[in-house]
Each structure stands twice: as C-alpha cells, then as structure tokens.
Amino acid sequence: MSQLIKVMLTDDHAVVRSGLCRLLEQNAEIKVIAEAESGEQAYQTYPDNKPDVLVMDMSMPGMGGLEALRRILHRWPDARVIMFSMHENATYAIQSLTAGAMGYVAKSGNAEDLVKAVKEVASGKSFLSADMAQKVALQSLTGDDNPTQRLTSREFEVFRLLAEGKLVEEIAGRLNIGQKTVANYQTSLKQKLDIHSPVELVRLAMKYGVITEQ
C-alpha cells in the first residue's frame, strides 16, 4: 500500500471543512490529519502537524490565505500549499502561484479537481484545473496588461483590502504590520497602478475581478 498523503485543511467555515474532509477521505490514499479555521491558526499549528499538503481558503477574516501562505513559506520553504478559493478569475490564481502556492482550485469547480490537486502537489507537481489554466493562458495571451500582476503578494493583499473599503488601522491589524507601513504601501500602489483616488482604486479592482460589484 502506498503511503498516505497527510492533508491539513484551513477554512473559516466548519461546514466547508467537514465537506472537504469527506470528499478527500473517500480516496484511500488521502488522510486529513488537521484543520484550522484561520490563517493565523494555520501558521501557528503547521509545524505541529507537518502535513504533506496544506489546503487553504484564500478569503478568510483576519490574516487572509495569501498572507498566511507568504508567512508559512517564509518559515517553511518546503511547504506544499494549495489555495482553495471562491475566486474564479486568473488574477487570484496568478497571485497565488507567484506567491509560492503549488496549486489553485476554484470552489465552484469539479469536486475531483481538489483530489487531483492534492495528489499532484503531494508528488511535487503544480496543479491548475483545465478551466483555470485556460484563463491564465488567455490573460497572458490577450495582451491585456493587468497591472495587478505586477504587485507583490503583500501589495496585492493591501490593494484587495483597500478596495473592500477596509481602513488603514484594520489592514495593519490583519497583516500584523504598522499603520505607517500600510500608508507606504498605499503610496507605492498609487505609483505602480497609476491611480490617484480611492474611487479609481475600486474601479481598477472591479475591472480585474479582485472585487465584485456589491
């Protein structure tokens, strides 16, 4: 019998974690050994659990999945992480892979995608579903210069939170950085994205699918 693939799940909804656990463990090769309900908890408990693969939601209260990914990989560079996201656009997939994730799976996709992703990533390969791979390829081929792709993972998180209407103090708390640092990111975002007002920032975020119109 081949060795079990040990998986850790991170999602702020218990019902989602429960469903993912059932889905993954229908496969005899996969065992869910730990769960976390936030990016903070995933970061704190990762070394205790030492999973073969970490499956992490991208959008969670507090430290988001992208920031948790950044911190985990900074401390444990060999970590194999799959981002599991409600976002179906290429921007989030590209940001995740650029930040070091080995896989990106949309929650709305085929249920089998996550099982395939876990197996591929556990074996050291990257994974994108066929649909997402096509979107990423199309975005790079169309010549539509998406300025958000030039942002680092930390800049992208600040950009996303500003676009969602979060205040500087709140962003500083979520990302565990100083308010002055957030203000510095605001300045660099204006320069990199050529935006001059909060309204322009929101419009740009909506244009490239970073946020959706409420």
Side-chain angles (χ1 to χ4, degrees):
M1 181 179 171
S2 59
Q3 192 173 357
L4 282 174
I5 299 169
K6 297 178 293 182
V7 174
M8 179 175 175
L9 300 175
T10 303
D11 194 289
D12 56 314
H13 295 104
V15 67
V16 173
R17 296 196 306 272
S18 176
L20 291 178
C21 188
R22 282 196 304 272
L23 169 70
L24 292 172
E25 291 193 340
Q26 284 173 5
N27 192 291
E29 298 170 53
I30 299 171
K31 175 70 177 172
V32 176
I33 59 161
E35 297 181 17
E37 60 182 14
S38 66
E40 290 89 343
Q41 192 179 18
Y43 177 71
Q44 289 160 5
T45 62
Y46 181 86
D48 300 327
N49 295 303
K50 295 187 175 69
D52 298 313
V53 178
L54 169 60
V55 176
M56 186 154 56
D57 183 18
M58 195 156 186
S59 304
M60 295 179 284
M63 187 197 299
L66 206 57
E67 176 64 13
L69 169 70
R70 194 187 70 80
R71 291 192 195 186
I72 287 168
L73 288 175
H74 179 73
R75 193 160 173 192
W76 301 283
D78 295 333
R80 295 174 175 179
V81 185
I82 297 168
M83 300 307 286
F84 188 57
S85 174
M86 65 179 182
H87 301 287
E88 296 179 53
N89 62 62
T91 299
Y92 277 90
I94 291 167
Q95 275 292 336
S96 296
L97 298 176
T98 303
M102 291 181 67
Y104 186 93
V105 178
K107 290 185 177 182
S108 58
N110 189 321
E112 277 302 302
D113 281 347
L114 187 59
V115 175
K116 285 182 199 168
V118 167
K119 289 182 178 180
E120 290 285 298
V121 168
S123 71
K125 300 172 187 170
S126 298
F127 180 88
L128 273 178
S129 67
D131 285 353
M132 188 56 70
Q134 187 177 30
K135 286 179 183 178
V136 170
L138 282 173
Q139 184 157 302
S140 60
L141 286 172
T142 53
D144 180 15
D145 180 31
N146 180 346
T148 66
Q149 290 177 21
R150 296 197 291 270
L151 304 179
T152 65
S153 59
R154 177 57 70 80
E155 286 171 340
F156 184 78
E157 278 289 83
V158 173
F159 173 62
R160 179 179 68 83
L161 292 168
L162 286 170
E164 288 177 359
K166 301 292 187 290
L167 300 174
V168 168
E169 308 88 81
E170 190 176 354
I171 296 170
R174 279 198 182 197
L175 301 182
N176 197 26
I177 55 179
Q179 292 184 28
K180 188 175 179 182
T181 304
V182 176
N184 290 340
Y185 277 120
Q186 275 186 302
T187 302
S188 67
L189 285 170
K190 286 176 183 175
Q191 292 170 346
K192 274 193 175 184
L193 302 175
D194 192 26
I195 50 178
H196 307 94
S197 72
V199 172
E200 285 184 21
L201 185 143
V202 171
R203 281 182 184 152
L204 189 73
M206 287 172 59
K207 178 179 178 181
Y208 292 105
V210 176
I211 59 170
T212 53
E213 192 168 1
Q214 300 299 313

